[in-house]
Each structure stands twice: as structure tokens, then as C-alpha cells.
Amino acid sequence: MPFAFFFLESEGFAGLKKGIRARVLETLVMLLLLALLILGMVWVASALIDSDAASMESLYDLWEFYLPYLYSCISLMGCLLLLLCTPVGLSRMFTVMGQLLVKPAILEDLDEQIYMITLEEEALQRRLHGLSPSVGYNIMELEQELENVKTLKTKLERRKKASAWERNLVYPAVMVLLLIETSISVLLVACNILCLLVDETAMPKGTRGPGIGSASLSTFGFVGAALEIILIFYLMVSSVVGFYSLRFFGNFTPKKDDTTMTKIIGNCVSILVLSSALPVMSRTLGITRFDLLGDFGRFNWLGNFYIVLSYNLLFAIVTTLCLVRKFTSAVREELFKALGLHKLHLSHTSRDSETAKPSVNGHQKAL
């Protein structure tokens, strides 16, 4: 990834003939300087945090000590990033699945809504064709509004074509499944917090399992191991969804035919950091005791009781707050409107809320 980034940005040193060789030479020099910079920063950080002579001398052993120490630092940063992404992703998963699945049509007349949207689409097309080319700003606004109407019409037609099983069974089942998985994840973290307070062996550092195939790592046998696998995959998907839902990383979202190579490299680096920290987070939260063949138990910060306990507490609290905010946003908006506080802009409409849809009687309604 660093080679690809520096190769894209390189132009060749001054005085050399422009071409691939000059760009590769400049890229290699930049990589060497970057390696020296990281080596010095990690060495100085280790000297400041742990001034023991043995720990400082251990960094001279590049393969056995320095690289694992550097990977430990990267995983620590990834775990902190997962602490932000995963709770947000757990709450956003309900919205994402709601956009992918067909919702039940309760007290709705889809035929009348499609008819109204079709009339609105025809009216916008007539207005668009009647404007002169000199009014470019209005044309752009009308084209965007027409595109939104077409998108809404496509969604309504998809809901109309969906079968009764898909509308009335699949959507509620998926929502209940997501709620159960999220509740189990929070419950496991709460149990792990209690275990950390009463049992020192619950610490993730040094707790190595019996090995693959020797014995089950879960108390509940095959069922518990399968549940751990499902929860880890669920957390993985939720962390990716939460990563792209954060405002700071919102511009990283890839778009069709509109994604630069630098942004692609940034996405690859972000996914790699998150994936390298996922096993560490799973062990720290007590979701699994499996070492994932990466020898992650050697990380020194996993043996710090206060870091591990604080990580579990923050994860449980932030996840609970995100879920409460998710499921009470509609009620909160209605309370603000009833009290007249919506005029003060104290509450912003959530990005998860749906676009207002025309109801049967022609008025606009939104959940």
C-alpha cells in the first residue's frame, strides 16, 4: 500500500530522465525514509513509556521483537478505531437491512402512491423540457429532483412486486435476528466485565486455548462455537458499516466511476487495519478465547487490567447509547415538535430516517 501511494505521487528526481525507473527509484527512497521514520518514532515511544534497558535493547532485534511490537501498536490503533465504528455500525445495521429488504405494507395503498409519483414525474419532465438552456441552475435542480422521484418510484414498484412472504415474513425475521445478535453481543461483554472483576484468568493476555481439534473453546460445545463465529462475522460487517457511517470517514466511501486511486488505497489500508484489530477486539471483549493462530496474546497492553476493563466498559456503554438513540429518535422528534422546540433546531433529523413518502390522502408522512 505505501509503495502504491508513493508511486502514484512520484515524478522522479530532478536531473534524472523521466520514466518508470525514475519513479520507482523515488518510491524506494521514500519507502526507506518512511521505514526509518517509523523505526525512530516507535523506538522513542518505547523509550518514553518503558525506560527499562531490556525493553529498549529488545528493539534492536528487528524480527523477534520490533516487528511484533510495531504490529501491536497498529492493532491498538485499530482497536480504538473499532471502538468507534462497531457501536455505530450495530445501530446502522437496522437501517441498512431495511433499505435492502422490502418492508411490510401496512395501511398503505401502493397503487395510489405509484400513480401520484408518476404524475409528479410527468410534471417535472414537462417543466424540464419547457425551460430554456440559459437557465442552467434551475435545470440542474429539476434534474436532481426528477432523479429522486424516479428512485422513489423504483422502490415503490419493487415493494409492489414483492411477494407476501417477502414483505410480511423476511423483514420482521431479519430485524428480530439483528436485535438478538446485538443483544447477545452486549450481554457477552457485560459478562466479560464481571469475569474481569472477579477472575484474573479472564484477561486476554496469555490465555492460550488447547489447540485446534483438541477441545472445544466454548462451554456450550459446537453450538457455542458456532455462535461465536456468527457474532464475529456480525461484528466484522458492523464495523465496516460503522466506519463508512462516521462523518470523518464519509468521504472514503467508494463511488462507481468516481473513485480515485488514492481513495482506493486509503480504503484498502483502513480495511486492513480493521481486520488486523478484529481478532484482538474479539478476545478483549470476551466473545471468543481462540487465538486465531496470530499469537495475539503476546501484546503487552492486553495484560493491563485497566486498559482491558476500560475498553469493555466503553464498548458496552457506547453500544447501548447508540441503540437507545436509534430506537428513540422518532419519539424524541415528536416530543420536540409537541413542545415547539423543533424551531430552535435542537434536534437534527437522523440520516437513518426515510425520505418523506406521499400517503394515501395526498399528505406527506415520515416515520
Side-chain angles (χ1 to χ4, degrees):
M1 294 295 103
F3 179 85
F5 175 77
F6 288 128
F7 184 76
L8 289 175
E9 300 294 330
S10 64
E11 297 180 356
F13 292 111
L16 296 179
K17 184 179 179 180
K18 302 298 181 181
I20 299 297
R21 289 186 177 181
R23 296 181 63 183
V24 171
L25 179 60
E26 181 182 353
T27 303
L28 293 177
V29 173
M30 292 298 296
L31 287 176
L32 179 61
L33 294 176
L34 178 64
L36 293 176
L37 177 64
I38 295 177
L39 177 65
M41 291 176 60
V42 175
W43 200 91
V44 170
S46 176
L48 291 176
I49 297 175
D50 192 0
S51 58
D52 189 8
S55 63
M56 296 175 62
E57 292 178 358
S58 65
L59 289 178
Y60 290 110
D61 194 340
L62 185 65
W63 185 259
E64 291 293 333
F65 293 97
Y66 175 75
L67 290 181
Y69 181 79
L70 179 61
Y71 184 65
S72 174
C73 296
I74 295 175
S75 296
L76 177 60
M77 292 186 295
C79 286
L80 295 178
L81 183 59
L82 283 175
L83 187 60
L84 296 176
C85 299
T86 309
V88 177
L90 290 175
S91 62
R92 282 278 297 172
M93 283 295 292
F94 295 91
T95 303
V96 173
M97 296 306 298
Q99 294 173 353
L100 296 177
L101 300 175
V102 178
K103 297 182 180 180
I106 303 175
L107 301 178
E108 287 183 323
D109 191 349
L110 295 178
D111 293 328
E112 186 172 349
Q113 292 187 22
I114 293 175
Y115 176 72
M116 294 171 55
I117 290 294
T118 304
L119 292 179
E120 186 177 356
E121 181 183 1
E122 293 175 355
L124 289 174
Q125 289 177 351
R126 286 194 298 268
R127 290 179 56 189
L128 188 60
H129 292 317
L131 291 177
S132 59
S134 59
V135 191
Y137 184 72
N138 292 333
I139 291 179
M140 292 178 59
E141 286 185 349
L142 287 177
E143 288 179 350
Q144 182 64 35
E145 189 174 355
L146 180 61
E147 187 67 26
N148 295 335
V149 169
K150 289 182 178 179
T151 303
L152 182 57
K153 182 181 178 181
T154 304
K155 292 181 179 179
L156 290 175
E157 291 177 348
R158 179 172 177 267
R159 292 182 61 187
K160 182 181 178 181
K161 295 179 181 178
S163 62
W165 289 97
E166 185 179 359
R167 289 197 307 265
N168 302 323
L169 182 61
V170 176
Y171 180 82
V174 171
M175 291 296 113
V176 171
L177 182 62
L178 291 179
L179 184 61
I180 291 175
E181 291 181 348
T182 306
S183 303
I184 292 176
S185 301
V186 177
L187 183 61
L188 288 177
V189 175
C191 293
N192 188 52
I193 293 174
L194 295 178
C195 293
L196 289 173
L197 294 175
V198 300
D199 189 6
E200 295 182 355
T201 59
M203 292 292 294
K205 180 177 175 59
T207 56
R208 301 186 59 89
I212 298 178
S214 301
S216 178
L217 292 176
S218 176
T219 308
F220 301 98
F222 174 77
V223 177
L227 180 62
E228 290 180 2
I229 294 173
I230 294 174
L231 290 178
I232 291 175
F233 274 101
Y234 179 59
L235 292 178
M236 178 183 67
V237 177
S238 301
S239 63
V240 175
V241 173
F243 175 78
Y244 290 110
S245 299
L246 295 176
R247 294 182 179 180
F248 184 76
F249 301 103
N251 296 328
F252 270 32
T253 306
K255 299 179 181 179
K256 184 179 180 181
D257 300 329
D258 190 23
T259 306
T260 61
M261 191 64 187
T262 304
K263 187 179 291 185
I264 293 176
I265 295 173
N267 279 273
C268 294
V269 172
S270 303
I271 297 300
L272 285 174
V273 172
L274 292 177
S275 63
S276 65
L278 182 64
V280 185
M281 185 190 73
S282 301
R283 290 196 59 184
T284 306
L285 297 178
I287 296 177
T288 181
R289 295 186 296 114
F290 186 43
D291 203 35
L292 298 179
L293 305 181
D295 205 11
F296 298 105
R298 293 177 55 189
F299 293 168
N300 293 327
W301 59 272
L302 289 178
N304 192 314
F305 173 77
Y306 298 102
I307 293 179
V308 175
L309 181 62
S310 301
Y311 192 89
N312 283 263
L313 287 173
L314 286 175
F315 183 87
I317 293 173
V318 174
T319 302
T320 305
L321 291 178
C322 289
L323 292 175
V324 170
R325 180 181 179 274
K326 168 68 179 178
F327 291 109
T328 60
S329 59
V331 179
R332 187 172 60 251
E333 294 293 336
E334 293 298 329
L335 287 177
F336 280 139
K337 290 181 181 179
L339 297 175
L341 299 177
H342 63 285
K343 299 178 181 180
L344 302 177
H345 302 285
L346 295 177
S347 175
H348 299 279
T349 304
S350 177
R351 298 192 327 177
D352 301 342
S353 61
E354 295 182 350
T355 307
K357 300 179 181 180
S359 62
V360 178
N361 55 10
H363 297 286
Q364 295 291 329
K365 65 178 182 178
L367 177 61

